[in-house]
Amino acid sequence: MSTTTLSSTVALVTGASSGIGQATARRLAAEGATVVLVARRQDRIEVLAKEITGQGGQAVTLGADLTDPDAAAGVVATAIERLGRMDILVNAAGVMLNGPSTAAPLEEWQRMVNININGLLYVTKAALPHLIEAATDSPRQVADVVNISSIAGRFIIPDAAVYNATKFGVTAATESWRQEFARRNVRFAVVEPGLVDTELMGHQQAAVKENMAARFADVEYLQADDIAEAVAYIVTGPRRRAVAEVVIRPTDQI
């Protein structure tokens, strides 16, 4: 891997065991960042770390359940203890458990709120002091938070009330933080993908999966690497350029 734009930076990526988080970690490592891989599935992030280091990159693994505020704070504290800084945070951990509301188990709604919203809040809260510090003492003179939301954070869809709520929340929080920290050189961006070919699509109730498969049968889905490319564009830009929001859909998706 090359060490280019993000050399000497540390990037913490949640949800790094699969999908968009995994692809983003690979991409940021290729740009020269030391990546902190965070996920519940320790075995998967260990495999990813070996892949990254085998290609000349640098990676650290931290297994954690980010729905626990102490665990989330601990991940940030451990990253700082081991690496000394944090320049980039990518909140990619999430679940999509869509289905008719009358049939949906309350536990699934709670999982979406706990992972999509609470986990993101806990990690961001713990990371903020270190990101502010990085923005003042690094050659880049900027730090970045990129939150992975969804087009469901902009447009309402049926059978997805709670998922919509969590993603609208991610989009709203990101914009509020952007305004709060703009003058402190901590950039906040939200990425809102459409259909992406990841494990997330398989989390939904069977009827929803069947309906989506039929509805989008002729659509060429985005790949996780497409979203990782958008994240890389955001965080590798010059200090003067803040990309606040990226909506990215498959070309065929209406």
Side-chain angles (χ1 to χ4, degrees):
M1 291 186 176
S2 62
T3 53
T4 54
T5 312
L6 299 179
S7 294
S8 302
T9 67
V10 174
L12 189 149
V13 182
T14 74
S17 60
S18 66
I20 292 169
Q22 183 181 79
T24 297
R26 286 194 186 103
R27 180 59 186 268
L28 298 185
E31 293 287 346
T34 297
V35 290
V36 181
L37 311 174
V38 180
R40 288 174 295 175
R41 295 178 290 189
Q42 181 80 36
D43 57 335
R44 289 200 178 191
I45 55 176
E46 292 291 350
V47 170
L48 178 60
K50 288 179 181 178
E51 175 191 324
I52 289 170
T53 57
Q55 296 178 21
Q58 300 181 73
V60 172
T61 63
L62 295 175
D65 179 357
L66 300 179
T67 65
D68 177 344
D70 292 333
V75 159
V76 173
T78 301
I80 295 299
E81 180 181 351
R82 294 178 64 175
L83 300 170
R85 63 183 305 106
M86 186 178 299
D87 302 86
I88 297 164
L89 169 63
V90 181
N91 285 304
V95 293
M96 180 171 63
L97 304 170
N98 293 339
S101 295
T102 53
L106 184 59
E107 184 272 337
E108 291 188 350
W109 289 4
Q110 292 169 331
R111 282 184 63 200
M112 284 190 282
V113 171
N114 286 338
I115 297 173
N116 297 358
I117 289 287
N118 291 343
L120 181 148
L121 296 178
Y122 299 152
V123 176
T124 304
K125 173 70 171 174
L128 273 169
H130 308 291
L131 294 163
I132 292 167
E133 182 178 357
T136 62
D137 71 3
S138 72
R140 296 168 73 236
Q141 292 296 292
V142 72
D144 288 281
V145 179
V146 181
N147 294 325
I148 306 301
S149 182
S150 166
I151 58 170
R154 292 173 57 91
F155 306 106
I156 298 299
I157 57 176
D159 296 329
V162 177
Y163 185 71
N164 274 132
T166 63
K167 292 305 184 179
F168 265 75
V170 169
T171 297
T174 305
E175 173 57 19
S176 182
W177 280 324
R178 185 194 68 78
Q179 295 180 31
E180 183 177 355
F181 292 100
R183 294 300 181 92
R184 303 186 77 172
N185 292 337
V186 179
R187 301 183 294 201
F188 277 82
V190 63
V191 179
E192 298 160 322
L195 294 166
V196 186
D197 184 14
T198 69
E199 289 182 9
L200 196 71
M201 302 301 293
H203 293 168
Q204 304 173 95
Q205 293 181 28
V208 175
K209 286 190 285 187
E210 292 171 6
N211 289 340
M212 288 191 66
R215 180 181 175 188
F216 300 112
D218 59 347
V219 173
E220 182 183 1
Y221 282 32
L222 296 167
Q223 299 299 307
D225 286 342
D226 296 319
I227 314 307
E229 182 177 355
V231 175
Y233 174 77
I234 292 166
V235 303
T236 58
R239 192 211 65 82
R240 66 179 181 274
R241 184 182 77 204
V243 180
E245 185 176 21
V246 174
V247 179
I248 177 169
R249 292 184 179 90
T251 299
D252 310 313
Q253 184 179 359
I254 297 173

